[in-house]
Amino acid sequence: MELELKLLWTAIVLYVLGGSLAVIGVVFRKRPERSILGLLLLGWFMHTATLTLRWIRLDHGPFMTMFEILSSNVWSLVLVFMIAYWRIKAIRPAAAVVMPILFVMMGWLMLSSPGEAHFPQSFRTPWLFIHIGFGKVFLGAVLVAVGLSIVIQSRRTLRGLACFQSLPEDARLDELAYRFMALGLVFNSLMLIAGAIWAQDAWGRYWAWDPLETWAFLTWLVLVFYLHLRSTYRIAPRSGSLLVLAVFVAAFLTFFGVPFISTAPHKGAV
Amino acid sequence: MILPQPNLLHIATRLASPKLTLAGFALLGAAAIAVYQLGDSAAAWLAGPLLLLAVNLIGAVASNGVFRRQLPLLVFHLALIALVLLAAISRLTYLKGAADVTEGTAFGGLWRQVAGPLHPDRLNEVQFINEGFDISYKPGPLRDLTLNRVRWIADDGRERVEQIADNRPLVSHGYRFYPSSNKGFAPVLLWLPKEGVPVLGAVHLPSFPVNRFTQSRDWRPAGAKSDIWIMLDVPEDLIPADRASRFNAPQQYPLVLRRGDLRREMRPGERVSLPDGDVEYRELRTWMGYSVFYDWTLPWMLSACVVAVLSMGAHFWNKFAAKPWNREN
C-alpha cells in the first residue's frame, strides 16, 4: 500500500506541475504545450500504476470508497482531457482552467482515507465496468466543455481576455462545448441504460427512483434542456456557457455528492 | 355561426405545449416523491405523468417540421415515445414481491407483493423446488457469493436444474426469482394433536446471521391450544467474524421448545408430549428468501433504448460532420 500511495503522490505532483505550467503559460503568453502534455502523460502513467497495484491487491476495481472513486475519476478525467489536448490544438490554453478543477478533486482525494471496503457479489458483473466506463466518458466530455465555458466567462474581464486571446473566438468555443455536451448526452444515456441492466441483475429492479438514480435522471434532463435550448434558440455564448456550468454542477453532485449522503444500496460506483 | 373544426395539426401543436411538458415533469416529480414516501405501492402513480409526457412528445413530433427533415432525430424521438409509453405500461403491469421457500420444498406463493392494477397474475403457473444453497462469507462476516440450486419446470414443460446466484435469477413464466440476503434455518416439526390430523411443518426462524441473537419464533399448528415457542441454540461464532467461512446448518445444536413452565431441549428424532398433542423434531433444514420481479416490458424497453441511443448518435454525427466546429456559418 505504501508503494501505491507513493506512486499516487508522484502522479499528483506531476499533474500539479503540468497544470501549473499551463497557468504560467497563459499568464505569461507562452505555450509550453509539449512539456505540459509530457508531465500529464507521465503523471497518468504513474496513476495507472497505482490503480493497477491496488486492483491486484484488493481483487476489485477502484469503485467502492470515496478515495477510490475520486482517484479513478481523476485518472479518467485526465485521460479524456489529454486526448482533447492532443487532438484539438487550438484549445490547449484551456488546460489553465481545466487542471485547477482537477486540483480540487486531487486535494479532496489526498484528504480521503485510502482504506478498503467490501466488494459485494452484486458488483461482480461486466455491466458494472460498462456502466462506469460510459459514466467516465460522459464526465470527461462535460469537463472539457466546462473548461471552454470558463474561458468564455473569464473573457468578460480584461485580464481574462488578455490571457486567453490565443484561443478561438467565443462563438467557436461555444460550438465546441456544445459538441462535447452532445457527446456527453450520448454517453450519459448509455451510462443510464447499462446501469439499469446492472441494477436489474443486482437488485432485481432496473429503476427505483433511489436518490442517485433520481439525480442521474435530473442531470440527464438538465443536459437535454441545454441541448434543446442551444439548438432551438440563438443563445449567446456567455449564456450557453452558464448552462454548461449548471450541467456540470448537477453531474458533479450526482457523482460525488448524492452517493455519500444516501442510505440506498446504490452507492454510486462510478 | 359555424365554428372552424380544429385540424390534427392544430391539436398536435396544442399537445406539444411546453407548459404541458413542465406540468408532466412536475407530476412525475410528485409521483417520484410519493414512491419515496409510500414505497412501491405508489409506483402505479408514475403511469399518469409518463402518459402525459408521451402525449406531449407525440404532439411535438407531429407538429414540428424538423422531424420530417431529419430522420435520425425523428427515430430518436419515436424511440423516446415508445420508452415513455412502455415505462407507463410497466408501472401498470409489473409485480415486485418476496417469497420464502423451505429447502426441499416447492414454491407456494409470495408473502409480500406489490403489483400494478393490470398485472396478469400467472404466479400459480410457476413451479420450482429450492434444493438448498451455499453461501461463502468473508471476514466480518460479509456475505460473498450466494449459490442456490433450484429444480424447476421450464415454460416448455420440461424439468430443469439450475444454479441461480446473486446476479443470475431463475426466470419462469416471466417472473424473475433472485436469491436474497434473507435466509435462515427451518426446523421441521411434526405436530401430532390429541384430536385431528397430524401436521408436518417447517418453522422459518429469523434471517441468519443478521438475527443471530434472536433465533426463536412462536408456532401454533392446527389443533394446538396455544403458541409453542421454539429456539435454535446456535453459537455466536457459527459464522466467524475473523476468517472466511460458509453458511452451514448447526446440526449438533439443540432446538429449545417452551410452553408455559415446560422447557425441553430436543435433538432430531426426539418427541415432547404436551397436553394437547406431541411435537416431534424431525430435522433441521434451511430456507431461502427470494426477491420476485415481473415486468414483460423489459426487452422492449431495452430495444427502445438501443434504438434511441443509436439514432441520437447518428443525428449528432450527421450534424457535426457536416461542418467543422471552428468554421463560421
Side-chain angles (χ1 to χ4, degrees), chain B residues 17 25 92 101 125 135 144 151 154 157 161 181-182 186 192 198 206 231 233 247 256 259 262 284 287 290 295 299:
Chain B
S17 158
F25 277 119
L92 297 173
V101 184
E125 294 175 36
I135 302 173
D144 203 30
R151 185 176 295 276
V161 178
S181 59
N182 209 21
L192 299 151
M231 182 190 80
D233 196 7
F247 193 103
V256 179
R259 189 199 241 180
L262 177 79
L284 184 64
W287 62 269
Y290 297 91
D295 190 344

Side-chain angles (χ1 to χ4, degrees), chain A residues 149-196:
Chain A
S149 299
I150 293 174
V151 169
I152 293 170
Q153 287 299 321
S154 65
R155 278 171 162 176
R156 285 168 178 252
T157 63
L158 283 175
R159 184 160 189 84
L161 207 56
C163 284
F164 294 112
Q165 64 182 358
S166 63
L167 278 154
E169 62 186 65
D170 284 357
R172 304 276 56 83
L173 292 183
D174 179 54
E175 171 65 21
L176 189 60
Y178 168 65
R179 293 182 180 207
F180 271 102
M181 294 300 269
L183 183 72
L185 178 66
V186 172
F187 280 92
N188 190 4
S189 305
L190 287 169
M191 176 188 77
L192 293 181
I193 295 165

Side-chain angles (χ1 to χ4, degrees), chain A residues 1-265:
Chain A
M1 182 144 154
E2 202 176 317
L3 178 62
E4 288 168 30
L5 290 176
K6 279 179 182 168
L7 283 169
L8 181 63
W9 273 101
T10 312
I12 287 177
V13 167
L14 288 165
Y15 289 153
V16 171
L17 285 174
S20 303
L21 202 57
V23 175
I24 291 165
V26 159
V27 171
F28 294 101
R29 321 278 195 277
K30 306 280 184 197
R31 295 191 74 156
E33 291 166 358
R34 290 174 73 89
S35 306
I36 293 167
L37 189 59
L39 284 166
L40 294 184
L41 197 61
L42 200 58
W44 185 81
F45 279 124
M46 294 288 180
H47 201 165
T48 307
T50 183
L51 287 173
T52 309
L53 285 175
R54 188 178 176 91
W55 194 317
I56 293 168
R57 181 169 63 84
L58 300 179
D59 189 30
H60 66 73
F63 315 129
M64 298 308 297
T65 62
M66 181 55 107
F67 176 84
E68 290 173 349
I69 291 171
L70 281 167
S71 182
S72 63
N73 273 293
V74 168
W75 177 87
S76 59
L77 291 172
V78 169
L79 175 63
V80 172
F81 183 68
M82 277 196 309
I83 293 170
Y85 190 91
W86 170 51
R87 298 295 302 164
I88 313 170
K89 291 179 182 165
I91 63 158
R92 284 181 175 177
V97 290
V98 171
M99 287 312 292
I101 296 173
L102 294 178
F103 291 169
V104 175
M105 290 177 69
M106 289 174 209
W108 190 2
L109 167 64
M110 300 321 289
L111 293 173
S112 306
S113 164
E116 304 154 20
H118 174 56
F119 193 73
Q121 275 297 322
S122 53
F123 281 47
R124 293 193 186 277
T125 159
W127 286 107
L128 174 71
F129 297 94
I130 297 168
H131 173 58
I132 290 170
F134 287 147
K136 288 189 184 308
V137 178
F138 156 66
L139 205 60
V142 173
L143 179 76
V144 178
V146 163
L148 301 175
S149 299
I150 293 174
V151 169
I152 293 170
Q153 287 299 321
S154 65
R155 278 171 162 176
R156 285 168 178 252
T157 63
L158 283 175
R159 184 160 189 84
L161 207 56
C163 284
F164 294 112
Q165 64 182 358
S166 63
L167 278 154
E169 62 186 65
D170 284 357
R172 304 276 56 83
L173 292 183
D174 179 54
E175 171 65 21
L176 189 60
Y178 168 65
R179 293 182 180 207
F180 271 102
M181 294 300 269
L183 183 72
L185 178 66
V186 172
F187 280 92
N188 190 4
S189 305
L190 287 169
M191 176 188 77
L192 293 181
I193 295 165
I197 295 170
W198 172 40
Q200 181 65 56
D201 282 344
W203 304 304
R205 88 294 186 286
Y206 60 88
W207 193 271
W209 296 100
D210 74 26
L212 190 55
E213 287 164 354
T214 306
W215 272 87
F217 181 59
L218 284 174
T219 304
W220 188 86
L221 281 182
V222 177
L223 183 51
V224 166
F225 177 72
Y226 160 75
L227 290 170
H228 269 98
L229 219 56
R230 176 67 176 63
S231 59
T232 310
Y233 303 103
R234 285 187 173 275
I235 296 177
R238 286 179 180 176
S239 308
S241 60
L242 285 176
L243 284 169
V244 171
L245 296 177
V247 174
F248 180 69
V249 169
F252 197 86
L253 286 174
T254 304
F255 275 61
F256 304 106
V258 181
F260 300 95
I261 55 166
S262 157
T263 53

Side-chain angles (χ1 to χ4, degrees), chain B residues 64-318:
Chain B
N64 198 329
V66 73
F67 294 108
R68 285 181 283 282
R69 292 191 297 274
Q70 299 181 28
L71 183 65
L73 196 62
L74 174 67
V75 174
F76 168 67
H77 283 84
L78 290 177
L80 205 56
I81 290 166
L83 188 62
V84 175
L85 284 172
L86 284 164
I89 294 166
S90 152
R91 292 305 86 193
L92 297 173
T93 57
Y94 87 117
L95 176 138
K96 198 174 163 191
D100 294 347
V101 184
T102 310
E103 179 187 356
T105 66
F107 163 69
L110 305 176
W111 61 267
R112 174 174 57 81
Q113 76 169 67
V114 185
L118 304 178
H119 173 67
D121 195 352
R122 296 177 63 201
L123 258 176
N124 54 357
E125 294 175 36
V126 175
Q127 297 178 59
F128 77 88
I129 294 170
N130 163 24
E131 295 200 326
F133 59 80
D134 180 26
I135 302 173
S136 51
Y137 285 88
K138 286 188 170 172
L142 295 166
R143 186 172 65 90
D144 203 30
L145 181 63
T146 299
L147 293 171
N148 178 205
R149 195 176 139 96
V150 289
R151 185 176 295 276
W152 59 298
I153 307 295
D155 295 2
D156 59 8
R158 298 165 87 171
E159 187 178 285
R160 304 239 169 101
V161 178
E162 196 169 340
Q163 188 126 274
I164 61 174
D166 300 86
N167 291 325
R168 200 168 61 241
L170 165 71
V171 183
S172 176
H173 294 85
Y175 293 91
R176 303 166 80 88
F177 290 79
Y178 297 85
S180 73
S181 59
N182 209 21
K183 76 281 166 196
F185 303 116
V188 178
L189 301 167
L190 178 65
W191 168 245
L192 299 151
K194 293 275 193 285
E195 296 167 4
V197 292
V199 176
L200 183 69
V203 180
H204 290 188
L205 295 176
S207 183
F208 191 88
V210 66
N211 298 300
R212 58 188 174 279
F213 301 118
T214 52
Q215 285 296 295
S216 63
R217 183 141 284 173
D218 287 325
W219 183 50
R220 187 186 289 198
K225 293 207 168 77
S226 60
D227 287 348
I228 301 167
W229 184 83
I230 57 170
M231 182 190 80
L232 191 65
D233 196 7
V234 290
E236 283 180 25
D237 60 346
L238 188 66
I239 298 174
D242 58 346
R243 60 184 184 276
S245 62
R246 309 192 90 79
F247 193 103
N248 52 54
Q251 299 289 0
Q252 69 274 36
Y253 298 99
L255 185 74
V256 179
L257 181 148
R258 200 171 71 197
R259 189 199 241 180
D261 294 334
L262 177 79
R263 183 184 186 280
R264 287 283 170 80
E265 289 192 359
M266 302 174 76
R267 307 271 170 188
E270 289 182 353
R271 187 178 287 198
V272 171
S273 282
L274 299 171
D276 45 351
D278 291 353
V279 178
E280 184 180 310
Y281 178 26
R282 284 287 181 88
E283 61 177 317
L284 184 64
R285 292 192 191 180
T286 58
W287 62 269
M288 171 53 81
Y290 297 91
S291 301
V292 186
F293 185 79
Y294 174 93
D295 190 344
W296 66 269
T297 64
L298 284 182
W300 299 103
M301 286 178 97
L302 182 59
S303 307
C305 285
V306 171
V307 171
V309 173
L310 287 176
S311 52
M312 177 166 52
H315 167 70
F316 285 130
W317 182 269
N318 292 343

